[in-house]
Amino acid sequence: MSTSDEKQIKVETLHSEVKNDAASAISLDQEKGAGFQQPFVKSEAEKKLVRKITYTIMPLVSWIIIVQFADKAALSVSAVLGIYEDTGITGSQFSWLGSLFFLGHLAFQPLNSYFLQRLPIGKYLGVCIVLWGAVMLFTALCHTFSELAAVRFLLGLFEAACMPTIYLLVNTMYRRSEQTTYFGIVTMCFGLGSVVGNLVAFGISHMGTSLGIEMWRWNHIIFGAFTVTLGLLSFFFLADNQRSKLLRLTEEEKVIVEERIQDNAVVRNMEIKRSQIWEALKETRLWLLCIAAIGLQIQNGGLLVFSAQFIKGLGNFSSGESILLKMPGGVASTAGSILATLIARRTGQVCYTGVLMAGISLVGCIVLAAVPGGAVKLVGYYLSWGSTGGYGLLMTVVGNNVSGYTKKIFYNAFLVVFYTLGNFIGPLVMLDHEKPRYLGAMTGFCIGNGVAIVCFILVRILMVRENKRRLANPPEQATDAKLDLTDFQDKNFIYRL
């Protein structure tokens, strides 16, 4: 049999296995190696290693995200804990305090990308956590709008390192087939952060001016002290690569780690490769993901900052009741993340699951826009947090489908930039003269979810087309992850849909 005949049979077999649809490539756990490999089954030793990695890093990672969200959202509960009366700020100034956080977030992203490439990410993140914890403590000393504006900007500046670092950590530590689960856990912790933050704030709402300190200041003092402690723990105990001494690898596990690195195509490289940045900027996929991010996050920014006031306006609720009624929103966010993760894992369809979550959020926003008030509107508010699961799946798309160390960092950073822009715009569209319904903002949130749905679909179409091209002409050589090839350069790379 000739070589050309053998190649034709190989292509036909591949087409038969995937039923002429590249979506079936999602069932392949090992995308790297000698061409397109057979479905991979983990050994017991590797399962044990994955558990070891998870038990070592995920408790710290989860608490980092929970505390980061609670710190960021501290301004929201401060609105019903006396910050208006104590500092004399106005409603429009409060909007700017919400947006200035994200302006700091945005300003730091270029420098953050540089540090992620150059520094050990565990120690770098630990330092940033200590710094933003210190800013939380200094916030309790503020008395004027200008002072609050400065610390909110600095809080956003130092918190800006958190999510890109966590996303890179998950990319580094887990196989592509595992990442949907762990990105789901990361996203779920946003909702848990809301629950924890609101529980603490509810307790504080019963303290009064203990020791002569206003309630909103106590909120910042308590979370600031906890954050500094968490930062110190992260600096010393957060494993940030698969060969970390903190994992205490056996000789067998060291061999497994090398094979896993080949699979997830994330090998630390301190050289900033401008060609990979340029390649990313030319990809339609990047811009679609960024547009989806901004569409989902406009409502997140608006509802996060104004949630306590927004809920208080839906009925005759006290400050403590308003804080408690925020908690189901956190639970809804957590449930949405769990639902998104389970569906994406069961179906292997990350993009379609993203469409579903954005659709749930869209229904919630339509209810918020259409219903004047009452319990039904509160249900709409809770449904709108389906966007959290949608954003988590955006990050899963990047984690699963972008290779090249510089390119992956750039993709994560660029998505965070647009995440930040959405959150920056969100509080500004919650116009003071439109309260309590904020009809214009709610309409905008509906449009944002609709745009995200379209972007998820288009991203999937682009990846399906490229998968079909690669399956039709598979490479004969294996790919070495140490070459740090991008997903565009590596024709062995199959996109997970």
Side-chain angles (χ1 to χ4, degrees), residues 254-461:
K254 289 177 182 178
V255 174
I256 295 172
V257 160
E258 294 305 315
E259 193 278 322
R260 286 170 62 83
I261 288 171
Q262 293 289 329
D263 175 52
N264 66 8
V266 182
V267 178
R268 181 169 173 77
N269 191 316
M270 296 186 69
E271 178 190 355
I272 298 174
K273 298 181 178 180
R274 291 179 174 81
S275 61
Q276 292 190 7
I277 295 174
W278 179 239
E279 178 184 306
L281 285 170
K282 291 189 293 183
E283 291 182 350
T284 305
R285 180 182 58 167
L286 171 67
W287 297 102
L288 289 171
L289 291 171
C290 289
I291 292 169
I294 201 171
L296 292 171
Q297 292 306 311
I298 288 176
Q299 77 182 57
N300 183 71
L303 294 178
L304 177 65
V305 173
F306 280 86
S307 54
Q309 298 173 78
F310 184 71
I311 291 172
K312 194 172 183 178
L314 296 180
N316 188 24
F317 302 123
S318 68
S319 296
E321 289 169 339
S322 299
I323 293 170
L324 279 181
L325 286 170
K326 280 187 64 185
M327 287 176 56
V331 174
S333 176
T334 303
S337 300
I338 294 172
L339 179 65
T341 301
L342 291 175
I343 294 174
R345 282 194 63 187
R346 180 64 62 89
T347 65
Q349 299 293 334
V350 174
C351 291
Y352 282 156
T353 308
V355 170
L356 172 65
M357 300 313 296
I360 292 172
S361 180
L362 175 59
V363 170
C365 290
I366 290 172
V367 171
L368 289 174
V371 178
V376 174
K377 189 153 188 165
L378 203 55
V379 172
Y381 168 74
Y382 298 145
L383 286 175
S384 71
W385 288 105
S387 62
T388 306
Y391 182 75
L393 292 171
L394 280 181
M395 301 313 302
T396 302
V397 170
V398 173
N400 283 346
N401 296 306
V402 179
S403 67
Y405 198 72
T406 299
K407 184 177 180 180
K408 189 178 287 285
I409 289 174
F410 185 78
Y411 250 83
N412 283 333
F414 223 61
L415 234 67
V416 171
V417 166
F418 279 79
Y419 162 93
T420 305
L421 283 173
N423 280 281
F424 176 77
I425 295 167
L428 298 180
V429 300
M430 302 283 283
L431 301 177
D432 204 35
H433 69 269
E434 290 189 344
K435 67 181 183 181
R437 290 188 66 185
Y438 298 104
L439 189 58
M442 300 306 141
T443 304
F445 299 162
C446 291
I447 294 171
N449 280 292
V451 169
I453 288 170
V454 172
C455 289
F456 268 118
I457 293 170
L458 292 176
V459 166
R460 190 183 189 283
I461 289 172

Side-chain angles (χ1 to χ4, degrees), residues 24-33 36-43 46-47 174-180 259-260 262-265 345 400 494 496:
S24 296
I26 200 78
S27 66
L28 302 182
D29 275 321
Q30 279 187 303
E31 288 79 22
K32 317 300 291 181
F36 300 102
Q37 302 192 17
Q38 297 300 314
F40 174 72
V41 179
K42 286 180 191 164
S43 66
E46 182 168 355
K47 291 178 182 177
Y174 293 102
R175 285 185 183 273
R176 293 206 292 158
S177 58
E178 299 160 352
Q179 288 174 16
T180 300
E259 193 278 322
R260 286 170 62 83
Q262 293 289 329
D263 175 52
N264 66 8
R345 282 194 63 187
N400 283 346
I494 294 297
R496 302 177 73 88

